[in-house]
Amino acid sequence: MNDIDTTTTTTPTAALPSGHEWEEAGDAWGRRAGDWACLYEHYAIDVIHAIFQRVGVENGISMLDIACGSGLAIRIAEGMGARTAGIDAAGDLVQIARDRSPESSLVVGTMFDLPWEDGTFDAVTSINGVWGGCDAALAEAYRVLRPGGRIGISFWGHGELDLRSVFRVFAHHAPESHVDGMRRTNNVARPGVAEQMLEGAGFDVIERGGRVSTIEWPDADTAWRAISSVGPAVPALEHVGARVLRPLILDALANTRDQRGIYRFRNDHQFVVARKPR
């Protein structure tokens, strides 16, 4: 294990987003951890490389990945020589990340209460982990980042979004309480919201950019397994079941299927990079 140690911190309850239950979120994202890790997580590869270039991931630096999932960003950073740490609410995803990267310091927990000391890291990333209403998570990221260090966060944008029709199916068949949460978290996609959140936490915004996320699945069964592995699928699956959802999801994906039967899932993937003042 690398030399990034953990300690205990406390985030005021009032700073947490309304309705946030990190254990519940972790349970949803971990339900189909293997499918997520093998069939979906690589959606982020282009944005990961873009963010790493801009936050200075290189040999010898210390990097924290918030909402690290099954550890794709951790693996890439380790390959670049970084000392890595990560945190995620889904224990099953973290276990896959640990199996992939046994030298990394990987923790099951909440991004609103990071178990690292002030100024521990040279760089912080969060790949589609910090959403609307998660301002307290950015305050924690600010705390554990050294002065002059950089943070990069990503989220879905407003351009081409094949996922839009898929998430409409999930929302239509999920309990209303879950739909309200989806609306709140998706606020980060609005122009300027991510920048305002980062500035509110004390960061100086440097740059906003974007890439096109592309995932390909060879057949309908693989596409369904991939899509149904995402956290927002769980409330709908529990509410109406896979027998109802599967044909609706595949119908929503029909326009992504090419003449060979390959599903090519493309989405506007935005990122913002900021710096902690010295």
Side-chain angles (χ1 to χ4, degrees), residues 48-61:
I48 288 172
H49 282 292
I51 287 177
F52 280 10
Q53 289 173 0
R54 288 159 175 80
V55 302
V57 175
E58 61 185 8
N59 187 53
I61 72 120

Side-chain angles (χ1 to χ4, degrees), residues 115-256:
W116 289 280
E117 295 181 352
D118 297 0
T120 298
F121 299 100
D122 300 310
V124 173
T125 60
S126 186
I127 309 302
N128 285 42
V130 175
W131 295 92
C134 293
D135 304 68
L138 291 177
E140 276 290 273
Y142 185 94
R143 181 184 63 77
V144 301
L145 187 63
R146 66 165 175 79
R150 294 190 177 194
I151 183 173
I153 65 172
S154 72
F155 43 87
W156 299 125
H158 272 301
E160 178 183 6
L161 288 172
D162 289 336
L163 62 78
R164 186 177 285 121
S165 59
V166 170
F167 275 57
R168 282 175 180 159
V169 173
F170 290 151
H172 183 71
H173 292 88
E176 184 60 31
S177 59
H178 174 71
V179 177
D180 290 342
M182 290 178 70
R183 293 192 188 103
R184 183 193 70 240
T185 58
N186 287 337
N187 282 342
V188 74
R190 295 180 179 176
V193 171
E195 289 89 341
Q196 291 172 6
M197 291 173 62
L198 285 160
E199 289 169 350
F203 291 103
D204 295 328
V205 173
I206 298 172
E207 179 183 357
R208 184 186 182 111
R211 297 292 186 269
V212 177
S213 165
T214 303
I215 325 176
E216 295 175 318
W217 303 302
D219 52 52
D221 286 342
T222 308
W224 164 248
R225 286 176 61 193
I227 290 292
S228 63
S229 73
V230 304
V234 170
L237 283 166
E238 291 182 338
H239 198 54
V240 300
R243 182 174 296 181
V244 171
L245 279 183
R246 188 180 190 276
L248 296 173
I249 291 297
L250 292 178
D251 183 62
L253 289 172
N255 67 340
T256 71

